[in-house]
Amino acid sequence: MQFTESKRELCRKLNISYDNIYAGTEDLFKEEDLNSWINLAIMRAWDFYDWAFTEKTYTTTTTASGEYYDYPQDFVSDSIKLLAVANSAGDYEVYEPLNFEDYRKFRMENKDDTSIFWSSHLRYYFINPKAFGSAAGRSIEIVGKMRAD
């Protein structure tokens, strides 16, 4: 459905004339009202569910001393659902998610543990650097939800 078709359908459901709104002769509603209502409906539908078409895979690389990384700009905050890091053989290992408080506690109590955990907080995601031996240049793949800009 095209945007104009959406506006016409909205007018039909409201029992008003789109032609009058488009011509500027409608006193109650303006075309800007229709545009904002339809855009709001699109945003709500986007956020309503984790639709398959809203997901994106992003690839980056590890840094030697990096425990946290910036979220991709086109991802929704705290939307990463899968994170995998390539091991020394080049095969991806899927890391286990932890909530941020548990991750921080785990890292404080187990500084040298090589468990494959990750977490996200605000616009950052955290990976246990000991899990990949603090090796730089390993490929990281994350799957998350794109923003509906």
Side-chain angles (χ1 to χ4, degrees):
M1 179 178 280
Q2 299 296 323
F3 199 69
T4 303
E5 292 173 304
S6 300
K7 290 191 279 190
R8 287 188 183 278
E9 181 63 18
L10 177 60
C11 288
R12 187 189 68 74
K13 289 187 182 253
L14 293 173
N15 200 24
I16 56 177
S17 170
Y18 175 73
D19 294 329
N20 290 348
I21 291 175
Y22 186 72
T25 58
E26 174 68 45
D27 293 331
L28 187 57
F29 300 109
K30 303 291 180 221
E31 189 157 11
E32 295 81 33
D33 297 331
L34 298 178
N35 293 344
S36 66
W37 293 336
I38 291 171
N39 282 325
L40 178 61
I42 291 168
M43 298 298 279
R44 285 186 178 173
W46 186 272
D47 291 338
F48 178 71
Y49 184 74
D50 285 334
W51 308 103
F53 60 85
T54 65
E55 290 181 357
K56 181 178 181 181
T57 301
Y58 180 80
T59 305
T60 186
T61 56
T62 61
T63 57
S65 60
E67 181 173 0
Y68 73 92
Y69 302 85
D70 292 332
Y71 249 74
Q73 290 298 316
D74 55 349
F75 273 25
V76 173
S77 297
D78 294 323
S79 71
I80 296 174
K81 59 172 77 172
L82 181 106
L83 184 142
V85 179
N87 60 22
S88 57
D91 299 323
Y92 281 97
E93 294 182 68
V94 177
Y95 281 41
E96 196 67 33
L98 290 177
N99 70 41
F100 185 66
E101 291 79 17
D102 290 343
Y103 176 82
R104 295 302 300 158
K105 182 179 178 187
F106 165 79
R107 288 289 292 137
M108 287 189 306
E109 294 174 355
N110 307 290
K111 293 187 187 300
D112 295 323
D113 194 311
T114 60
S115 298
I116 54 176
F117 293 121
W118 68 275
S119 183
S120 69
H121 183 66
L122 301 173
R123 296 288 302 158
Y124 302 101
Y125 59 97
F126 298 79
I127 305 172
N128 180 9
K130 301 295 184 187
F132 52 88
S134 298
R138 298 241 177 119
S139 189
I140 303 171
E141 280 198 0
I142 56 176
V143 177
K145 187 171 185 171
M146 295 184 298
R147 290 181 186 230
D149 294 332

